[in-house]
Amino acid sequence: MANLLETVAKELIEAIRNDTIVLPTLPEVSLRVRDVAEDPDTSVADLAKIIAQDAALSGRVIKVANSAMMRGNKEVNDLISAVNRLGIKFTSNLALGLAMEQMFQATSDAIDRRMRSIWTGSTEIASICHVLATHFTRLEPDQALLGGLTHKIGALPVLTYAEDHKDLLNDAFALDKLIEKLHPILGCHILNAWKFPKELLKVPSLYLKFHREQENVDYADLVSIAVLQSISGTDHPFTQMDWNEVTCFQRVGLQPDQEISEVLDLDDDIDNLLI
């Protein structure tokens, strides 16, 4: 297994250095949404018109607008009202993130299950990041949401590679180790290629550095806490760490042993934002 890991890791890292690795590309609708949203003259109707071209995405945006954490005085049933409630910038980042869901599909059942599991986990992390940004920091909630959705995007090239290499496809343990080893560097590479905001570019490489020292809270801190919150009470190896030594809790202003939903009395609203 060690030889397999070393061989594949070397091959993929070399491909990154030579800029020959095949990276996932953003769905066309998300690119159009981003372009329109960046135009200072864009209106809510302009953005809604682009999103409306993707029925599934439209439904998800409306659903988020009606989620417990976003809901206003009444339910909205049309896209323009949903975008108006969420705002152009938030809607743009939300649509950008949600459009990525179609990337997390594979022809192999084994890889498809892994991709869907990663996506489901990422939506949970994104929802928690949104809550943290909103209630504990001055960071932008829409950026926090996007950071959570993409924190493990680097797993995609590894899983795509595994589909074409049976030795790796049939060795679940080796595949997990390879994802663990490579997804941070691949994730940063992908976000850079996608021209993501600079404050999000290093999230994949920083969120697992639980003891890093810095003065100000950043989006990687939110993802770090969200990841730990998501595995709290399980037998995950991260639960064996002393969370009192995890520096991001102090920067965010949350006690390591506190559940966000308990602190804010949110119950299951966190998990329901993107589901």
Side-chain angles (χ1 to χ4, degrees):
M1 191 272 288
N3 289 336
L4 176 62
L5 272 177
E6 185 177 338
T7 300
V8 176
K10 184 177 180 180
E11 183 176 335
L12 287 173
I13 290 173
E14 191 68 23
I16 294 172
R17 288 174 179 164
N18 296 331
D19 202 25
T20 57
I21 190 167
V22 178
L23 299 176
T25 56
L26 286 170
E28 185 179 351
V29 65
S30 65
L31 292 173
R32 293 202 302 272
V33 165
R34 185 164 70 177
D35 288 344
V36 169
E38 288 177 351
D39 184 343
D41 296 324
T42 288
S43 67
V44 166
D46 293 332
L47 188 58
K49 183 177 180 181
I50 299 299
I51 296 173
Q53 296 173 22
D54 187 317
L57 181 59
S58 299
R60 295 292 294 279
V61 170
I62 292 173
K63 188 172 183 180
V64 171
N66 285 311
S67 65
M69 291 176 59
M70 297 290 187
R71 192 164 49 236
N73 294 327
K74 61 179 182 178
E75 183 175 346
V76 298
N77 297 304
D78 63 281
L79 196 52
I80 289 181
S81 297
V83 175
N84 191 55
R85 174 174 292 175
L86 296 174
I88 288 177
K89 187 174 182 181
F90 186 90
T91 302
S92 172
N93 280 341
L94 174 67
L96 181 64
L98 292 177
M100 295 176 196
E101 183 175 9
Q102 60 191 271
M103 297 181 187
F104 288 80
Q105 298 176 18
T107 55
S108 158
D109 287 342
I111 297 299
D112 192 62
R113 284 194 298 271
R114 282 174 176 270
M115 285 188 174
R116 292 182 184 279
S117 176
I118 288 174
W119 176 254
T120 299
S122 294
T123 60
E124 179 185 359
I125 298 303
S127 296
I128 298 174
C129 286
H130 179 272
V131 173
L132 288 169
T134 301
H135 296 280
F136 291 91
T137 79
R138 294 183 177 179
L139 297 174
E140 298 181 27
D142 58 300
Q143 295 282 60
L145 192 83
L146 195 54
L149 285 174
T150 58
H151 78 283
K152 211 168 180 179
I153 195 72
L156 281 182
V158 180
L159 291 169
T160 300
Y161 179 95
E163 276 200 293
D164 298 324
H165 295 78
K166 288 187 177 181
D167 287 349
L168 188 59
L169 184 61
N170 295 327
D171 192 334
F173 184 76
L175 184 53
D176 285 339
K177 287 295 181 183
L178 194 64
I179 291 173
E180 180 183 327
K181 178 181 178 68
L182 294 183
H183 91 264
I185 184 174
L186 284 167
C188 293
H189 197 65
I190 292 168
L191 297 187
N192 186 62
W194 287 352
K195 296 180 172 59
F196 261 47
K198 62 180 181 179
E199 57 267 27
L200 296 180
L201 292 180
K202 292 186 178 181
V203 168
S205 65
L206 294 179
Y207 82 93
L208 291 177
K209 294 183 178 180
F210 296 114
H211 303 102
R212 64 193 179 103
E213 295 291 344
Q214 62 179 42
E215 184 176 352
N216 298 317
V217 62
D218 61 16
Y219 294 100
D221 284 332
L222 304 187
V223 176
S224 297
I225 291 179
V227 167
L228 294 179
Q229 289 274 332
S230 71
I231 51 94
S232 179
T234 71
D235 59 356
H236 192 283
F238 289 164
T239 63
Q240 304 306 310
M241 295 189 303
D242 182 355
W243 288 10
N244 290 299
E245 296 179 358
V246 176
T247 56
C248 55
F249 282 108
Q250 185 174 0
R251 287 191 291 273
V252 171
L254 187 69
Q255 294 299 316
D257 59 350
Q258 288 180 304
E259 293 285 343
I260 303 173
S261 57
E262 293 176 0
V263 176
L264 299 176
D265 193 26
L266 294 175
D267 298 322
D268 63 347
D269 291 350
I270 293 174
D271 295 335
N272 290 335
L273 177 60
L274 293 177
I275 296 173

